[in-house]
Amino acid sequence: MKQQLNGFGVNLDHIPLKCDNISAINLTKNYVMHSRTKHIEIRHHFLRDHVLKGDCRIEFIDSEHQLVDIFSKSLARDRFFFIRNELGILDASSIE
């Protein structure tokens, strides 16, 4: 991801990732494997490894401000327009 952003001229020391799941955030910060995480396969620890390296940083964001919902859920009209506005996406009528 860092290389892709560098190709676009965006240079970041660490990639900020926004997450609304506190348990998932805690798993990336907990360096000790315990019985609750033993069912997770090694290949899925990719994110934890990159957090340890400092390539990315996981940040909490509440569900109300989770902008990725526009790509993954069907939303009510008001919610859709709010997220669209936050992303800076214009509709065809506002371009005129």
Side-chain angles (χ1 to χ4, degrees):
M1 188 168 14
K2 252 182 165 176
Q3 291 173 350
Q4 192 74 2
L5 288 172
N6 285 336
F8 292 120
V10 177
N11 298 316
L12 298 172
D13 292 332
H14 57 273
I15 309 294
L17 300 174
K18 311 284 186 181
C19 181
D20 62 354
N21 186 326
I22 295 174
S23 296
I25 294 171
N26 289 339
L27 280 175
T28 65
K29 294 178 180 179
N30 185 5
Y31 310 124
V32 178
M33 295 294 287
H34 50 76
S35 62
R36 293 181 185 169
T37 60
K38 70 179 180 183
H39 67 280
I40 301 173
E41 295 181 29
I42 296 297
R43 63 190 172 109
H44 296 298
H45 291 283
F46 175 82
L47 184 61
R48 183 193 309 206
D49 294 341
H50 282 283
V51 169
L52 286 173
K53 289 180 194 175
D55 292 338
C56 61
R57 183 179 66 213
I58 309 294
E59 300 172 355
F60 177 76
I61 185 167
D62 61 358
S63 296
E64 287 297 314
H65 295 96
Q66 189 63 276
L67 301 181
V68 75
D69 286 350
I70 199 168
F71 303 111
S72 60
K73 299 177 180 176
S74 60
L75 302 171
R77 183 180 179 96
D78 293 339
R79 180 89 176 119
F80 176 81
F81 287 135
F82 169 77
I83 292 175
R84 187 182 68 180
N85 186 43
E86 289 293 310
L87 291 172
I89 300 171
L90 302 174
D91 62 353
S93 64
S94 63
I95 295 173
E96 299 172 7

